[in-house]
Amino acid sequence: MNINYIDEQSFTNRDFLKKPLPIAEYEYCTFSNCSFSNSLLSEIKFSECQFFECNFSNVTLANVSFQNVKFKNCKMLGLHFDACNQFGFAAIFEDCQLDHSIFYKVKLNRSAFINSQLKGVDFSEADLKKSKLIGCNLQDATFQNTNLEMADLRNATNYSINPEQNRVKGAKFSLAEVVGLLDKYQVKIER
């Protein structure tokens, strides 16, 4: 099968549900104000690409490869990142909305989530070692057998992480939100 290589291209204001993005390897490409919503991105490889203000809600990610990509101000609701090609997975999510997305068993130790909405996200059995979740809203996010060693959760809010069921050695938390580590004990902390 011949693979197309597309590099250093800019895609602006495209609707990839109406006209699907061709299966190819995209390197150093920029996507701005594009809608991928409800589309099928299976078997596409993105390397060193940037996505600005794109809508990825309910996209099918079967065997998609994201290597050193950046998402900024993107809407990414209900995505199954666990279906992606895990080889070399590395992404930065900044000011993104990732509510109800799934990172089950995904190796995220080269990834960062900055000032993003992560409500109801499933991080079960994910490897977040040395990752950054700075300034993120983690309301109802699931952490079960998750590796959070040396992860940076400073200024993250609304998380509930059981230290007995997750690896948290060396993780960084802000004092104001550290009560999220005590939820399981149902203690009341007053100021």
Side-chain angles (χ1 to χ4, degrees), residues 54-71:
C54 294
N55 184 353
F56 282 88
S57 297
N58 299 311
V59 167
T60 300
L61 296 175
N63 209 31
V64 171
S65 181
F66 290 118
Q67 297 178 350
N68 297 317
V69 298
K70 180 175 183 177
F71 299 95

Side-chain angles (χ1 to χ4, degrees), residues 9 13 17 23 40 58 77-78 82 109 116 134 139 143 171 174 189:
Q9 300 272 332
N13 297 320
L17 183 59
I23 295 175
L40 179 68
N58 299 311
L77 304 176
D82 56 330
N109 57 3
S116 293
I134 299 172
Q139 181 180 340
F143 294 93
S174 59
I189 299 171

Side-chain angles (χ1 to χ4, degrees), residues 69-162:
V69 298
K70 180 175 183 177
F71 299 95
K72 173 120 173 124
N73 292 318
C74 292
K75 185 177 180 183
M76 310 176 82
L77 304 176
L79 298 184
H80 282 263
F81 288 96
D82 56 330
C84 289
N85 181 336
Q86 300 303 309
F87 181 77
F89 187 98
I92 296 172
F93 302 91
E94 186 174 347
D95 299 311
C96 292
Q97 187 177 9
L98 289 132
D99 296 351
H100 307 290
S101 290
I102 298 172
F103 291 93
Y104 176 72
K105 289 189 174 184
V106 176
K107 189 171 184 176
L108 296 161
N109 57 3
R110 294 176 49 215
S111 298
F113 300 85
I114 302 165
N115 299 322
S116 293
Q117 186 88 356
L118 299 163
K119 290 182 178 179
V121 169
D122 185 357
F123 287 113
S124 296
E125 299 187 36
D127 184 355
L128 288 156
K129 185 175 184 177
K130 296 184 181 179
S131 66
K132 296 178 182 177
L133 293 106
I134 299 172
C136 294
N137 183 351
L138 294 161
Q139 181 180 340
D140 299 321
T142 302
F143 294 93
Q144 184 71 34
N145 297 320
T146 306
N147 184 355
L148 291 159
E149 292 178 342
M150 295 179 278
D152 189 343
L153 285 94
R154 290 178 292 175
N155 300 315
T157 59
N158 301 314
Y159 55 80
S160 179
I161 300 170
N162 182 344

Side-chain angles (χ1 to χ4, degrees), residues 14-34:
R14 303 273 183 97
D15 185 341
F16 294 115
L17 183 59
K18 291 179 181 176
K19 186 176 181 189
L21 187 67
I23 295 175
E25 291 190 16
Y26 295 85
E27 293 185 3
Y28 299 99
C29 291
T30 302
F31 298 83
S32 300
N33 293 309
C34 294

